[in-house]
Amino acid sequence: MDRGWRAFSGWFGGSAAAVFAGYLALAYLVDPYDSGRSPLVSGSGVRPQGPRMAAASRGRDPAFSGAVIGNSHIQLVSPERLSGRSGIPFVQLSIPATSPAEQFAILDWYLRHHPAPEAIVIAPDEYWCTDDPALPNPKSFPFWLFSDSTHVYLRGLMRFSVAEEVVERLGRLLHRDPPRARPDGWSDYKDQYLGLAARDPRRASEQAAQRQTPAPDTPDPGRAGPDFPAAVRLAERVGRLPARTALVLVFPPIAPAALPRPGTAREAAEVACKAAVATAARRHLRTAILDWRTRRPALDDPTLFFDQSHYRHPVATRLADAIADAIRNLGGASAPLGPAD
């Protein structure tokens, strides 16, 4: 009995190991998120999906020599408009609900595949003002997908959701013309906001009230400084940028009521944070700073915002034009300007 049990256990363990190894080999070769690691499949893009898992494919696409990196506070800036007005083909690599740690992972991935980009746009917001060196974020993020370690990547493939994507990917590879996620990464969240408000009138009222809610006079816990670890991490990275790369640092706009009142502790903390991040960015000589997180007459209308920190298309269009102009002033690629909206 013991001998039979040991034989069965050995057979079962060996079979499980073989199945596991076979799956891992298949997943690596299929490359479910088009990360470029497979020796057999590469460059076919990914199915329509959210930017978290699609960014690996987009971030290595050689068609784009410019990138926008941030979260939903810069997501609405159109890479197509940036490309048309700057002459540099841009990809949107912004991912909603990310903090500096995730954005640095995306930046590292993009630079690994574009060692000499023409332009980088980075959009620090209030999450950059944390004093925690870990740069925490309660939202999950697939750091494994953007790792330079094969071991870490293989461990990341051992997830049920990834196994489902492997099956999906196999179907795509067998399809003559499968649907593909937009290569330049732009995602318009306008309909999501308007749709929610239309389905739930209370939501519309809440958004309107939120736009008008004044910011407190004290800084949020853990964001008062004087240390801002995200600025230190940024300095490390911009110090490695090629001299030819135009770097544009954008502090995205927020609703006028959300701006700190002059003379308050909150304003002092925010000014200190922005100064630390801007100083870090200026380690790179070809750098422009666009501070739109301040009082501007053109942004005084609260209806230009969906909520306190997400603006509408008119603001996104003006911001895209300002970024393109900054790149041109830095001596970046140029193209005939489109109509000014």
Side-chain angles (χ1 to χ4, degrees), residues 65-115:
S65 55
V68 180
I69 296 171
N71 55 29
S72 60
H73 295 152
I74 196 70
Q75 177 186 346
L76 206 58
V77 168
S78 164
E80 185 175 11
R81 189 170 184 95
L82 272 182
S83 301
R85 293 182 67 88
S86 69
I88 297 172
F90 267 93
V91 61
Q92 251 290 7
L93 296 178
S94 298
I95 300 177
T98 55
S99 68
E102 295 91 332
Q103 293 160 28
F104 288 141
I106 296 295
L107 176 61
D108 292 344
W109 176 263
Y110 180 78
L111 292 176
R112 200 176 307 149
H113 295 279
H114 300 80

Side-chain angles (χ1 to χ4, degrees), residues 220-332:
D220 294 336
R223 294 182 184 171
D227 297 323
F228 301 103
V232 176
R233 300 262 196 102
L234 178 64
E236 294 170 354
R237 284 160 173 81
V238 303
R240 300 195 297 265
L241 286 178
R244 72 186 293 268
T245 301
L247 174 64
V248 181
L249 197 74
V250 180
F251 295 104
I254 57 177
L259 292 167
R261 291 195 309 130
T264 61
R266 188 180 189 89
E267 184 196 44
E270 185 163 305
V271 168
C273 175
K274 289 195 289 187
V277 175
T279 298
R282 288 193 179 102
R283 287 193 61 183
H284 183 67
L285 294 180
R286 294 190 64 213
T287 294
I289 311 294
L290 300 182
D291 186 1
W292 280 46
R293 191 185 172 96
T294 187
R295 300 190 184 279
R296 306 170 71 92
L299 301 179
D300 276 347
D301 183 359
T303 62
L304 290 171
F305 295 81
F306 292 107
D307 54 26
Q308 282 194 330
S309 60
H310 294 90
Y311 43 85
R312 295 174 181 262
H313 279 285
V315 178
T317 298
R318 287 182 226 153
L319 186 54
D321 293 349
I323 294 170
D325 291 345
I327 292 171
R328 293 165 64 91
N329 290 337
L330 289 170

Side-chain angles (χ1 to χ4, degrees), residues 21-74:
Y23 160 75
L24 207 55
L26 176 65
Y28 187 88
L29 292 175
V30 167
D31 195 7
Y33 301 106
D34 190 33
S35 69
R37 294 178 173 95
S38 172
L40 300 180
V41 180
S42 180
S44 58
V46 293
R47 66 175 178 82
Q49 59 185 278
R52 260 176 170 69
M53 309 307 289
S57 175
R58 291 167 174 153
R60 72 181 191 87
D61 192 332
F64 301 107
S65 55
V68 180
I69 296 171
N71 55 29
S72 60
H73 295 152
I74 196 70

Side-chain angles (χ1 to χ4, degrees), residues 202-214 257 306 308:
R202 289 185 306 172
R203 182 64 178 262
S205 299
E206 290 172 0
Q207 289 178 358
Q210 189 184 50
R211 291 195 301 264
Q212 302 283 7
T213 302
F306 292 107
Q308 282 194 330

